[in-house]
Amino acid sequence: MMISRRTLIGAAAAGTGAAVSVVSGAPARAGTRAAIRAPALSPGDRVRVIAPAGVPDARLARGIQLLEGFGLVVEPGAHLYDQYGYLAGTDEARLADLNAAFRDPGVRGVFAARGGYGTQRIIDGLDLSAVRRDPRVFVGFSDLTVLSGRLWTGARLISFYGPMMNWTDARTGPVEIESLRRAVMTTDPIVLHSDPAEPSAAVSVSGVATGTLLGGNLTMLQTSLGTRDLPSLRGAILLFEDTDESPYSYDRMLTHLIRTGALHRIAGVALGQFTNASVVSGQWTAAQAVQDRLSGLGVPVLGGLRVGHGNGQLTVPLGARATIDTHAGTLTVEAGVRPGAASYQSLS
């Protein structure tokens, strides 16, 4: 039987005896420091694949093959294939792999093998001094939202919300492979177009807004309230997506974020994929529930972006400057990396 992420999160909270413990009553802030861009990856760069959350399976081989096809030298984390219950190894082992990847000066990129659940259990042990000392590319999504959030709040590092290396070609094909490559290996801006076939495309509040693109998986954002993982969203474009959630769950999570003030003075909202949301005749869809919650914020909302758990998942940088334009149906994001060593050499 599959165990849902929400069940695991709820069980973990119950096990601590403190279901909700608000640390500061407000999202963590990162001051006014400028965003940090890691150098773009180049062929020949070493990259590390790690599993901070769930256990990868045979699909991982395809993801590693793709990275090698980019010309990258792929290394597995020491505990990549461990298993401890529903986790990819003990907390100590997964944290050791995480920190080793950010401490090794030869590793220029870190790719998550799989999401699921577990990153929350180790995130407070992240070596932020190593991250600040030598920034590098990080790619992951879903449960890894908390790691992207902590990289931003603790080091102002731009990370990438993109596919895990537990890769399925039927879900992420040539277009999505190229989206990942361009995001981490070029300094081109990223433009995503609203796809009318996506359920979230039905959500719209007209306008244009510019701000720092922040967010990730809605469940993980709500779960991060009161921790150091949730960035301040003031002046930001909030990006969120989710999977296997009912319409009332979207309502409940957004209501919680609104009531805590986490969405106060956001600049706009960009909506990714609402994957496998239940539909009950005569009741709101997930899109209708989200429209009801967001329309009162008074900010532009653009839906239909292929970001998240659904087919055709594209890659976007979190922490980069972005603009949503509901009339054009576009999310435009500045590059999440700066020119790497190979790029500098080509300019000299």
Side-chain angles (χ1 to χ4, degrees), residues 33-208:
R33 289 174 292 153
I36 301 299
R37 287 173 168 79
L41 294 175
S42 301
D45 281 347
R46 289 168 51 207
V47 298
R48 189 77 54 84
V49 177
I50 60 171
V55 183
D57 56 35
R59 292 173 293 173
L60 182 59
R62 175 57 175 153
I64 291 174
Q65 181 186 50
L66 289 174
L67 295 181
E68 291 174 340
F70 295 165
L72 303 172
V73 179
V74 183
E75 304 172 350
H79 301 280
L80 178 60
Y81 299 103
D82 287 6
Q83 182 168 356
Y84 178 69
Y86 42 74
L87 302 168
T90 65
D91 289 353
E92 294 77 14
R94 288 179 292 113
L95 179 59
D97 274 8
L98 176 63
N99 281 331
F102 280 99
R103 288 169 178 162
D104 187 331
V107 172
R108 304 319 309 155
V110 182
F111 291 80
R114 192 174 186 178
Y117 170 75
T119 309
Q120 284 181 307
R121 292 174 54 131
I122 63 173
I123 192 62
D124 293 328
L126 175 65
D127 185 351
L128 285 168
S129 63
V131 175
R132 299 186 193 106
R133 182 170 59 250
D134 186 10
R136 65 205 68 194
V137 166
F138 169 73
V139 182
F141 83 111
S142 191
D143 188 76
L144 281 297
T145 294
V146 296
L147 178 51
S148 288
R150 193 70 186 108
L151 291 172
W152 178 254
T153 62
R156 221 46 167 195
L157 179 64
I158 293 174
S159 60
F160 293 86
Y161 203 73
M164 309 291 189
M165 292 302 99
N166 222 51
W167 196 279
T168 305
D169 282 303
R171 191 180 80 84
T172 38
V175 171
E176 294 72 47
I177 293 170
E178 177 62 9
S179 172
L180 174 62
R181 188 198 68 81
R182 287 175 64 88
V184 301
M185 299 188 76
T186 81
T187 56
D188 297 337
I190 294 168
V191 181
L192 271 61
H193 296 267
S194 178
D195 183 347
E198 288 292 340
S200 70
V203 185
S204 179
V205 177
S206 182
V208 177

